[in-house]
Amino acid sequence: MILDHIGIATPNLDVGSAPYLALGFVPEGADEIVEAQGVKVRVFRVGESMVELLEPMRPDSAIAKYLEKNRPGLHHTAYRVESVDAEMKRLQEGGAQFLSAQPGPGLHGTRVVFLHPKWGQGTLIELVEHPQGQGAGH
Ligand code: CMX
């Protein structure tokens, strides 16, 4: 399992991009909308992993709600797994608390699921499965 990405909540992708551009990273591809999560996403690749900036598209999205209560910044960490279903089953058997009963669609055809931040000891954790045979960013 490797770190797939860190998710950063920002009210504005251009404003949120400033530190990463200054560090020398270049956005990968065009910004994308993930309808299921109500967010617009800009990706900066950092080796095998990514920084994903998340701008809310709707007031009822998780990121909009987060920004009502918190400053912009680190929102979640995401780990890449071979099979999100198998990993979910394994963790549920150990009592893990998932935020949905089934994985949902993520960026670039991925399947994703989130674990409750209380289970994550204060960190919202996401599991990500990329489409068969594809690495991150496809
Ligand atoms: N990191 C750590 N803790 C968090 C958190 C976060 N990102 N978001 C909320 N929390 C904590 C709160 O501090 C609060 O803790 P206390 O009970 O100790 O006060 C608790 O979780 C409940 O938080 P809340 O403000 O009442 O928020 P909600 O219950 O409405 O929702 C959460 C919280 C995590 C269940 C919800 O945001 C969720 O379902 N998230 C999963 C989907 C998601 O985050 N999507 C955005 C990513 C999009 C993408 O990657 O494409």
Side-chain angles (χ1 to χ4, degrees):
M1 205 183 284
I2 67 161
L3 182 70
D4 186 80
H5 67 267
I6 58 169
I8 309 280
T10 178
N12 180 284
L13 289 181
D14 290 332
V15 173
S17 292
Y20 305 99
L21 294 172
L23 285 166
F25 298 115
V26 177
E28 186 163 273
D31 298 343
E32 280 198 37
I33 289 173
V34 179
E35 275 300 338
Q37 298 288 346
V39 289
K40 185 151 68 163
V41 186
R42 183 171 297 171
V43 174
F44 294 90
R45 177 172 297 283
V46 184
E48 276 287 292
S49 305
M50 293 166 283
V51 172
E52 292 188 2
L53 299 186
L54 307 162
E55 177 187 314
M57 300 296 291
R58 300 192 296 263
D60 65 340
S61 71
I63 296 297
K65 286 188 192 158
Y66 182 83
L67 288 172
E68 277 170 21
K69 297 182 188 165
N70 303 277
R71 293 189 181 138
L74 182 63
H75 180 262
H76 64 266
T77 56
Y79 300 90
R80 199 175 306 161
V81 297
E82 282 290 316
S83 162
V84 88
D85 295 309
E87 201 58 29
M88 235 182 134
K89 184 166 180 290
R90 187 182 75 78
L91 288 168
Q92 270 167 338
E93 282 165 5
Q97 195 184 345
F98 284 87
L99 292 173
S100 58
Q102 299 293 332
L107 194 65
H108 302 135
T110 53
R111 295 174 72 231
V112 306
V113 72
F114 290 85
L115 287 135
H116 198 283
K118 284 206 175 19
W119 181 86
Q121 298 295 329
T123 301
L124 177 61
I125 293 176
E126 179 184 5
L127 303 179
V128 184
E129 176 189 319
H130 286 264
Q132 200 73 30
Q134 294 185 1
H138 296 280

